[in-house]
Amino acid sequence: PEGPIALVGELVADRAGGWDLAGVLPVELLRELGAGGVLCAEVEAAYGGLGLTSRLNGELTACTGTLCGSVRSVMTSQGMAAWAVRRLGDRAQREDYLPRLTGGALAAVAFSEPDAGSDLSAMTTRIHRDGDAVVVDGGKVWVTGARYADLIVVFGRCGDGGAAVVVPAGTPGLTVRPVPDPLGCRAAGHAEIGLDSVRLPAGTLLGGAGQSLPLLVTSALSYGRISVAWGCVGILRGCLSAAAGHAGSRRQFGKPLAEHQLVARLLAELVVAEQTATRVCEHASDCWDAGSAELVIATVLAKHVSAGNAARGAASAVQVLASAAARDGHPVARAYRDAKLMEIIEGSSELCQLMLARHVLETV
Ligand code: FAD
């Protein structure tokens, strides 16, 4: 998708290092990206979106991931929010929210709580109907983009099941407290949110009350997993190009670093990491575009392989650049910190392994 990639290239350019050091993104720039449709690029043209396939959105996400992990994180959250509206919302809700999400409004998605991280079935945030209103009580942690968000999609318990509700910024009872000094994706606007008797119109409840909580969560997370996985492909592409450029030009012991076989091996491993991550992401996106039953497991595989490859690949790139990348502000140092977090979010590496093992046991 040349136009969207050019827009991201033009607006983000080489500014990510400064944003990372400052720990904040320029919100007007995020709105401009949002209004260009690139933050949730799969939304249909009828709602002002670009209507990209998952595969093309993946390439756009990878390009963004190469340039800036924080902008890519916001893109993942906005895409998940839009997907939640498309998947769970009724027609009136799609017509209300989606044009806003493709028009410059920013969104975040909140599942995690202090005592419900990997185990989301332990969430205690409650959403209940009260006449024509919906009332939300609880709290969420590490909500990417919440600092910038105009709308936060909050998941919680509702009766015996679950529900997702769209909470506008500024609603009485909603508090947003930025997470100080995150290890990586430092400008992604992570925040803790408090929900103290937040009262909203019933129309904010996506698709109504009392749905299956695991199904709600899995549906939103599948989009997030593909997006994070493609972001990791972007990290690997950036690291590969930085490591190859450095190894080809810096000389030690009378020849370029790349001609020392142990360094060449690191480069070869980076190529393998980037190529295998790309292939599993393409497969997951193709399953998504085809509506294949294999989709859920393909997204888990793509996320697991790509995140692990990115974390190891970024560490190798730091090794090749050595002191040249050993300071904050260098793109490879940033990639190293950002990549580690990709093994934790949207289902940690361990949770992905458990899901893959369960899948194989169910299918043998
Ligand atoms: P825990 O669940 O406490 O896990 C700790 C360790 O134990 C991990 O290694 C885990 O893999 C392992 N573990 C846990 N259970 C098992 C098991 N059964 N078997 C084997 N190992 C296990 N949340 C949101 O809702 N929205 C967001 O936008 C969002 N963005 C985030 C961005 C960043 C940068 C980070 C760091 C987190 C974000 N989160 C977000 C929260 C994220 O989803 C959780 O951090 C993640 O689910 C892991 O939960 P936890 O940190 O509580 O770790």
Side-chain angles (χ1 to χ4, degrees), residues 1-338:
E2 283 172 24
I5 287 177
L7 180 66
V8 171
E10 180 195 325
L11 293 181
V12 177
D14 60 356
R15 302 167 69 194
W19 297 334
D20 190 63
L21 288 175
V24 64
L25 293 169
V27 71
E28 284 315 313
L29 178 135
L30 290 178
R31 291 195 190 289
E32 215 175 322
L33 288 169
V38 299
L39 295 180
C40 49
E42 289 176 43
V43 173
E44 300 87 340
Y47 300 114
L50 299 174
L52 296 191
T53 59
S54 174
R55 183 88 172 243
L56 287 176
N57 190 27
E59 282 299 336
L60 172 64
T61 307
C63 288
T64 310
T66 300
L67 294 176
C68 181
S70 291
V71 172
R72 198 280 309 146
S73 299
V74 169
M75 177 181 270
T76 297
S77 296
Q78 181 100 357
M80 281 169 82
W83 175 242
V85 172
R86 288 167 72 204
R87 184 88 174 82
L88 310 172
D90 59 27
R91 190 183 173 142
Q93 290 169 326
R94 289 196 294 272
E95 285 173 356
D96 179 7
Y97 292 121
L98 292 175
R100 293 202 236 170
L101 296 182
T102 56
L106 300 170
V109 179
F111 308 98
S112 308
E113 299 180 1
D115 294 322
S118 300
D119 180 11
L120 288 175
S121 70
M123 69 172 68
T124 57
T125 292
R126 293 213 71 88
I127 300 172
H128 71 268
R129 293 289 295 262
D130 181 15
D132 283 347
V134 177
V135 180
V136 193
D137 272 295
K140 299 286 176 181
V141 292
W142 279 98
V143 182
T144 300
R147 184 172 170 180
Y148 312 122
D150 303 295
L151 300 169
I152 304 179
V153 180
V154 174
F155 288 77
R157 303 200 158 285
C158 186
D160 293 336
V165 66
V166 183
V167 182
T171 307
L174 171 70
T175 47
V176 178
R177 213 166 42 165
V179 174
D181 306 320
L183 170 68
C185 301
R186 285 180 177 165
H190 309 113
E192 264 183 44
I193 68 173
L195 299 144
D196 181 11
S197 300
V198 171
R199 207 174 172 81
L200 300 158
T204 56
L205 203 53
L206 293 178
Q211 305 179 62
S212 152
L213 186 59
L215 277 183
L216 287 178
V217 167
T218 305
S219 164
L221 281 179
S222 288
Y223 181 97
R225 285 180 183 138
I226 299 192
S227 180
V228 164
W230 277 107
C232 289
V233 168
I235 290 177
L236 283 161
R237 289 179 184 167
C239 285
L240 182 56
S241 120
H246 187 78
S249 59
R250 172 149 171 98
R251 300 173 72 85
Q252 287 291 282
F253 300 97
K255 56 185 180 183
L257 291 175
E259 289 179 25
H260 297 289
Q261 289 183 348
L262 294 176
V263 177
R265 181 170 67 182
L266 291 175
L267 293 181
E269 285 171 353
L270 260 167
V271 173
V272 172
E274 186 275 325
Q275 283 292 303
T276 49
T278 300
R279 296 290 94 79
V280 287
C281 284
E282 286 173 349
H283 176 63
S285 278
D286 289 348
C287 287
W288 183 277
D289 288 331
S292 152
E294 220 190 307
L295 167 70
V296 172
I297 206 64
T299 59
V300 171
L301 181 72
K303 195 274 168 180
H304 180 52
V305 169
S306 304
N309 285 7
R312 286 186 297 275
S316 294
V318 173
Q319 195 67 19
V320 172
L321 276 93
S323 62
R327 56 182 178 80
D328 262 356
H330 191 285
V332 168
R334 187 157 40 81
Y336 178 65
R337 289 187 282 98
D338 292 355

